[in-house]
């Protein structure tokens, strides 16, 4: 049973922004798969603005490598989109793993980002695609890099009257991409840890490598020092081993030590190596 | 003709149409909703309860406490030591303290938030090993609930004769039944002044008795009906909502609905007992087991529930399906302030199978023997003496089940390094342990020319309705259209005992068979088998009493000796062998169960489809037990942090049914409900060892645990 | 309160719901469709599964107001006793039903799969029902049933 609230379902972005500006104690609801669970567990709000009827928030457009994804697009729709399969394979893969078929039909990319869970599956792939978020309110528009958008676990820079309107990513043609998540069961489970990668190689050399690690640090992150280290290096066991060790060092640097690291760090090491080897 | 075939379940049509009425689907005009205020402390004295704000909250009709109980405030299947509503102290988190009755669910749940209780914390016993000597007494007579021993032969001599000795400790955690339908029920006063309770349950007559004690009214004043039940697995054997509902109806004389949320179900339902098992095995060079010594320590939480049963059953089955000449088992069950543990599919034996099957493999390894051969060599056979010195006379199919999987075992080959194969064997005594546990069944001829079967056996999804009807059809040679099933109602049936201990096919089936034989003779005398219609027989019978035939079956057992457990506690045993293939990813600790070959001696498969269904379901639960399921008190609140297998975690399965007929069973049948689960986790653990070289001693062996074991082994 | 109008099992319906009302409760209480079950209420069991525009959704996490203008199907859509859908028949024949509590949701996930894929592989079937827990059956006979039905039916919207 949900606590009491009033809801509106605008059909245009402008109306949604107007509601967000005028209503008190208001929350956006997209798929509701995070918000309603939280509300069932005690979170309260007086008003919700349902954005799922807004056509312009469900568009997908792209020219070459610049792709704009509407925040209200569901995981199922993303994983079925051919363009994203080609240019953002890690994102498609992650969308295919989230929750269950039902969750993928309900949950949205915008909700996943705005909820900002350390275990959110879409954040690592979006990080390696240099995602920039477009945010609007009645007062104006702003843009923010995904790295800056998430400020703490479950906390973003979004203000209550703001709406995420576009998720803009850079497609990565010519990269070998992937996403691997580890969970306690084969489906419908939250990631214990995850790795997204995009690797461009030339023969036996790494040309450009992008990595992102989820569920190990308070916020998923890119070990940019490791990416830099790999750029141009020979693809051999030695380099790969060293890179994996550097990733682990970076996680430790960010988070210190945690009991769960006894498990997570060796696994991350193994997965990074696997990803780099291909 | 009717049994042994693939007859469709008689309840399946309704169920695929979404039509069956579960307790939550019932609504009664003007019903109140009841919910429970529960303890947030593991052990504390209640100093003050303030319900004024709750009472003043809109839509609240009544708040009931232990002082409102007219009869006995204690219930329990064996030992009555569990209060419905806490008296002066609470002994675990989640223990019920008050019932709040509101006009709506929302009103009642809101009012719960307004109740204030002042506690004075008491010393908490959270470790069964410290429980015995703790000064904090959970019950006046001490914290040891039960201690059972199994003594056979001379254990010292047995170990002296051994060439190798293997000794390890195994432990398991709490598990939740996780039936898909939570506990729920509806109650109302009927026109005869009785209280009727309709609920999701595994046993109606037991609940009727408990309610009559609770309200201090004769049993005839209470009627219990089983609604369609969405799974039980042991978790709906104890009184769940029924007592609260009856008490609420008693006080309000209004219909009352109750339904636990999933969170409440996790918090309050009994769990599988975590067992700590110290296991020592001695064997000769040639593979013959000479001695087994086992120490079992269990944690039942603050109330007995089925703790004594688990303590005893675990002990009796500790040696597995093997003939062991020298046995010493010491099994102890302690009270703690942890969650209440109770009956869950297998009563402690899945835990023991994990231990004895791991031991078998370790002994084989030391002797450089094939794990299959050592099992074959020691397996029970006709004439064998069990650990309780019972001579097995009939239906001992363990060797046959081993033979079924043998070709696959011999042919096994690792396509990949990370693959592994494991065996698990088990035996399981059908029915309750060393006590009378009869079932009744009644048949009568109805005016419209049908045979009505009245049974108190509860269909909880396992298929007992269909099985019992098939037994009746086979005995009478009747088509399904000629039979009416009337079940799950204390008004219309006599006690059939609980749907537990894999006993309904064997025992209720036996009672139906008994009644059917009498009915057959009657029908024969009346010319039915020469073509006279039943309707006519009914019409011509002057004394309608003669149209009724009662059946009864109580399996022949003897009580076990209190010191040594010598005796014949079960009339028959089921046997099984599972062979499992896994794949382990060493980088991550992910273990995938690829394939299972499951061979079961069920005596006789009354319905093959149901038997297979039980086996598949048992395997799924075994996968969960081995790899992912773990109830962590305070953390596991719902399915988001209690994982059980999905369709994608399930292996491919091949089932083999062995039918070594049991002479006392209906058409030779025994049981399969629990046996299906028992050897599965064990065979997974052995397969993990085969794949990786490391052996898990603690379940579940989830990804983290397995990875840590692999890391440790790397050094 | 809000008026929502939608197609329920092929029929146009319309009713007043609270803003915070969940589709699960609207179906159970306002339309007496009790085949939609609440096994957990937080999207973790699948017993509340319904089809919205022919795709499975958890009705326990769907506001009733969201289905305005959409198509909602529950197991009642599939067939009735006289005219079972091939999937329902296959569930009965394969022994895919035990306690039955997961069955309506399971059937709907299967139905949605067969609408999109007339000849699914076993792993596609397993994936399609991976958002529906079943504690009784171990899924094997459910997968068998869906495979058996796949050849027999055209699950057209
Ligand atoms: C059973 C279950 C399984 C799950 N499994 C996974 C999983 O495996 N991996 C995973 O990453 N997540 C998982 N989740 C979490 C959740 O489904 C995802 O995070 C999903 O993407 C959230 O999207 P939504 O549209 O449902 O968000 P909502 O619940 O609608 O919203 C979430 C938050 O985002 C805000 N919001 C949404 N859209 C916007 C917008 N455009 N502008 C501003 N704010 C916005 C909301 O106000 C709210 O605070 C699971 C959830 C459930 C219930
Ligand atoms: S009720 Fe469990 S998923 Fe909706
Ligand atoms: S049949 Fe019981 S949960 Fe699926």
């Amino acid at each position: 049973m949900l606590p009491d609230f009033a809801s509106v379902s605008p059909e245009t972005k402008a109306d949604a922004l107007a509601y967000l500006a005028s209503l008190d104690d208001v929350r956006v609801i997209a798929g509701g798969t995070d918000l309603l669970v939280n509300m069932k567990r005690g979170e309260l709000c007086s008003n919700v603005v349902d954005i799922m009827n807004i056509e312009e928030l469900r568009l997908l457009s792209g020219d070459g490598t610049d792709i704009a994804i509407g925040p209200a697009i569901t995981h199922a729709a993303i994983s079925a989109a051919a363009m994203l399969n080609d240019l953002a394979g890690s994102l498609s893969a992650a969308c295919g793993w989230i929750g269950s078929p039902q969750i993928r039909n309900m949950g949205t990319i915008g909700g996943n980002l705005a909820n900002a869970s350390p275990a959110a599956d879409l954040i690592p792939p979006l990080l390696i695609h240099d995602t920039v978020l477009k945010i609007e309110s009645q007062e104006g528009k702003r843009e923010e890099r995904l790295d800056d958008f998430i400020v703490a676990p479950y906390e973003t820079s979004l203000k209550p009257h703001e709406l995420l309107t576009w998720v803009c990513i850079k497609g990565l043609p010519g990269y070998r991409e992937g996403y691997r998540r580890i969970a306690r069961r084969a489906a419908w489970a939250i990631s214990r840890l995850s790795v997204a990668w995009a690797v461009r190689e030339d023969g036996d050399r790494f040309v450009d490598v992008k990595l992102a690690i989820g569920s190990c640090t308070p916020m998923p992150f890119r070990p940019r020092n490791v990416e830099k280290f790999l750029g141009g290096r020979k693809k051999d066991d030695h380099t790969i081993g060293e890179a994996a060790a550097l990733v682990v060092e970076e996680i430790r640097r960010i988070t210190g030590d945690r009991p769960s690291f006894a498990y997570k760090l060796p696994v991350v090491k193994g997965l990074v190596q696997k990803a780099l080897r291909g | 003709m009717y049994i042994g075939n693939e007859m469709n379940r008689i309840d399946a049509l309704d169920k695929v149409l979404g039509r069956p009425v579960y307790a939550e689907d019932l609504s009664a005009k003007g019903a109140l909703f009841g919910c429970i205020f529960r303890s947030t402390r593991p052990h504390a004295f209640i100093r003050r309860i303030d319900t004024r704000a709750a009472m003043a909250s809109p839509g609240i009709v009544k708040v009931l406490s232990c002082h409102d109980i007219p009869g006995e405030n204690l219930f329990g299947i064996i030992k009555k030591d569990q209060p419905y509503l806490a008296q002066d102290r609470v002994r675990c988190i989640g223990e019920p303290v008050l019932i709040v009755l509101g006009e709506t669910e929302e009103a009642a749940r809101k009012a719960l938030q307004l109740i204030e209780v002042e506690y004075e914390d008491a010393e908490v016993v959270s470790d069964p090993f410290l429980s015995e000597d703790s000064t904090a007494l959970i019950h006046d007579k001490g914290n040891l609930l039960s201690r059972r021993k199994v003594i056979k032969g001379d254990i010292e001599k047995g170990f002296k004769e051994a060439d190798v000795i293997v000794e390890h400790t195994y432990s398991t955690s709490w598990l939740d039944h996780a039936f898909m339908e939570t506990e729920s029920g509806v109650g109302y006063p009927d026109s005869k002044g009785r209280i009727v309770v309709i609920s999701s349950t595994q046993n109606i007559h037991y609940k009727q008795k408990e309610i009559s004690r609770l309200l201090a009214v004769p049993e005839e004043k209470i009627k219990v009906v089983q609604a369609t039940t969405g799974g039980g697995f042991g978790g709906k054997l104890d009184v769940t909502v029924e007592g609260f509902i009856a008490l609420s109806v008693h006080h309000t004389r209004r219909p009352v609905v109750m339904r636990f949320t999933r969170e409440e179900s996790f918090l309050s339902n009994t769990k599988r007992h975590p067992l700590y098992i110290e296991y020592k095995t001695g064997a000769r060079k040639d593979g013959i087991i000479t001695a087994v010594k086992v120490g079992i320590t269990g944690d039942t939480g603050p109330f007995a529930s089925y703790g004594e049963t688990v303590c005893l059953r675990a002990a009796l089955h500790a040696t597995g399906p093997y003939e062991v000449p020298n046995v010493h088992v010491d099994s102890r069950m302690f009270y703690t302030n942890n969650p209440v543990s109770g009956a869950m599919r297998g009563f402690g034996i899945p835990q023991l199978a994990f231990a004895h099957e791991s031991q078998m493999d370790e002994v084989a390894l030391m002797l450089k023997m094939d794990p299959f051969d050592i099992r074959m060599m020691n397996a029970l056979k006709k004439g064998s003496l069990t650990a309780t010195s019972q001579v097995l006379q009939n239906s001992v199919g363990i060797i046959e089940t081993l033979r079924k999987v043998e070709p696959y075992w011999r042919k096994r080959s690792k396509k990949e390094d990370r693959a592994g194969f494991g065996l698990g064997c088990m035996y399981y005594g059908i029915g309750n342990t060393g006590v009378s546990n009869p079932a009744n069944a009644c048949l009568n001829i109805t005016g419209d020319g049908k045979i009505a079967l009245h049974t108190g056996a509860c269909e909880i999804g396992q298929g007992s309705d269909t099985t019992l009807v098939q037994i009746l059809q086979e005995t009478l040679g009747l088509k399904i259209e000629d039979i009416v099933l009337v079940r799950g109602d204390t008004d219309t049936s006599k006690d059939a005992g609980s749907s537990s201990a894999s006993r309904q096919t064997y025992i209720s089936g036996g009672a139906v068979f008994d009644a059917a034989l009498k009915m057959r003779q009657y029908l024969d005398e009346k010319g039915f088998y020469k073509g006279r219609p039943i309707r006519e027989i009914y019409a011509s019978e002057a004394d309608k009493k003669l149209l009724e035939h009662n059946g009864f079956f109580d399996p022949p057992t003897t009580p076990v000796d209190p010191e040594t457990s010598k005796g014949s506690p079960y009339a028959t045993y089921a046997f099984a062998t599972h062979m499992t293939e896994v794949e382990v990813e060493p980088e991550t600790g992910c273990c995938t169960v690829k394939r299972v070959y499951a061979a079961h001696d069920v005596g006789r498969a009354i319905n093959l489809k149901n038997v297979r269904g039980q086996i598949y379901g048992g395997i799924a639960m075994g996968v969960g037990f081995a790899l992912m399921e773990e109830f962590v008190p305070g953390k596991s609140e719902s399915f988001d942090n209690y994982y059980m297998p999905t369709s994608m975690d399930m292996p491919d399965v091949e089932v083999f049914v062995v039918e070594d007929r049991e002479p006392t069973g209906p058409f030779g049948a025994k049981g399969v409900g629990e046996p299906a689960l028992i050897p599965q986790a064990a065979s997974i653990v052995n397969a993990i060892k085969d794949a990786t070289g490391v052996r898990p001693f603690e379940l579940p062996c989830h990804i983290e645990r397995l990875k840590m074991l692999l890391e440790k082994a790397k050094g | 309160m809000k008026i929502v109008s939608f197609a329920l099992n092929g029929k146009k319906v319309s009713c007043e719901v609270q803003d915070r009302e969940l589709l699960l409760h609207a179906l159970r209480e306002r339309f007496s469709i009790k085949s939609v079950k609440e096994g957990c209420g937080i999207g973790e069991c699948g017993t509340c599964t319904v089809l919205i525009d022919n795709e499975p959704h958890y009705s326990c996490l769907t506001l009733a107001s969201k289905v305005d203008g959409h198509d909602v199907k529950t197991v009642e859509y599939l067939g009735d006793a006289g005219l079972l859908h091939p999937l329902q028949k296959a569930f009965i024949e394969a022994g895919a039903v035990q306690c039955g509590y997961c069955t309506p949701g399971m059937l709907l996930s299967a139905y949605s799969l067969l609408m999109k894929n007339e000849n699914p592989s076993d792993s596609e079937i397993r994936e399609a029902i991976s958002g529906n827990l079943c504690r009784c059956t171990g899924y094997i006979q459910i997968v068998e049933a869906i495979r058996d039905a796949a050849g027999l039916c055209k699950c057209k919207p």
Side-chain angles (χ1 to χ4, degrees), chain C:
Chain C
M1 299 292 278
K2 290 205 154 39
I3 305 272
V4 291
S5 304
F6 58 105
L8 177 57
N9 294 328
K11 278 199 212 105
K12 285 223 151 62
V13 295
S14 173
C15 78
E16 211 177 26
V17 298
Q18 288 182 299
D19 288 26
R20 57 151 178 177
E21 190 164 324
L22 292 161
L23 180 59
L24 167 73
H25 298 134
L27 291 172
R28 285 182 63 85
E29 281 139 38
R30 301 192 191 271
F31 294 98
S32 289
I33 294 187
K34 305 277 185 180
S35 63
V36 189
K37 304 286 183 207
E38 183 168 8
C40 72
I42 56 160
E44 298 278 357
C45 78
T47 59
C48 67
T49 299
V50 299
L51 301 186
I52 301 178
D53 301 335
N54 296 318
E55 293 292 342
H57 286 66
Y58 296 132
S59 62
C60 71
L61 291 181
T62 302
L63 292 178
S65 62
K66 274 186 179 279
V67 300
D68 190 44
H70 292 269
D71 176 83
V72 176
K73 292 188 175 86
T74 65
V75 76
E76 284 72 10
Y77 179 82
L78 262 57
D80 53 46
L83 196 64
L84 283 180
H85 188 275
L87 256 173
Q88 292 169 311
K89 240 187 239 160
F91 266 56
I92 297 175
E93 293 285 332
V97 178
Q98 289 189 28
C99 80
Y101 201 78
C102 71
T103 307
M106 212 48 106
L107 280 162
L108 290 167
S109 288
Y111 181 77
S112 172
L113 168 72
L114 296 188
M115 250 189 288
K116 290 170 285 194
N117 184 346
E118 281 181 25
N119 191 17
S121 66
D122 276 13
S123 62
E124 286 168 327
I125 296 174
R126 282 181 186 231
E127 178 167 349
I129 58 166
S130 65
N132 295 78
L133 291 178
C134 173
R135 189 55 152 173
C136 302
T137 67
Y139 308 100
I140 304 257
Q141 286 152 308
I142 296 175
V143 173
E144 277 171 21
I146 299 170
R147 195 198 305 132
D148 292 347
L152 297 174
C153 65
K154 294 230 181 322
C155 298
K156 284 277 157 57

Side-chain angles (χ1 to χ4, degrees), chain A residues 15-61:
Chain A
D15 285 352
L17 294 177
Y19 280 127
L20 288 174
S22 63
L23 294 171
D24 283 338
D25 188 19
V26 61
R27 298 291 297 270
V28 170
I29 183 169
T33 58
D34 277 318
L35 186 68
L36 295 185
V37 173
N38 292 340
M39 288 177 81
K40 284 188 177 191
R41 292 189 165 160
E43 215 171 286
L44 298 173
C45 75
S46 320
N47 290 288
V48 308
V49 178
D50 185 346
I51 59 167
M52 291 306 270
N53 290 335
I54 304 174
E55 215 41 60
E56 49 190 312
L57 297 181
R58 310 181 60 167
L59 301 175
L60 174 67
S61 70

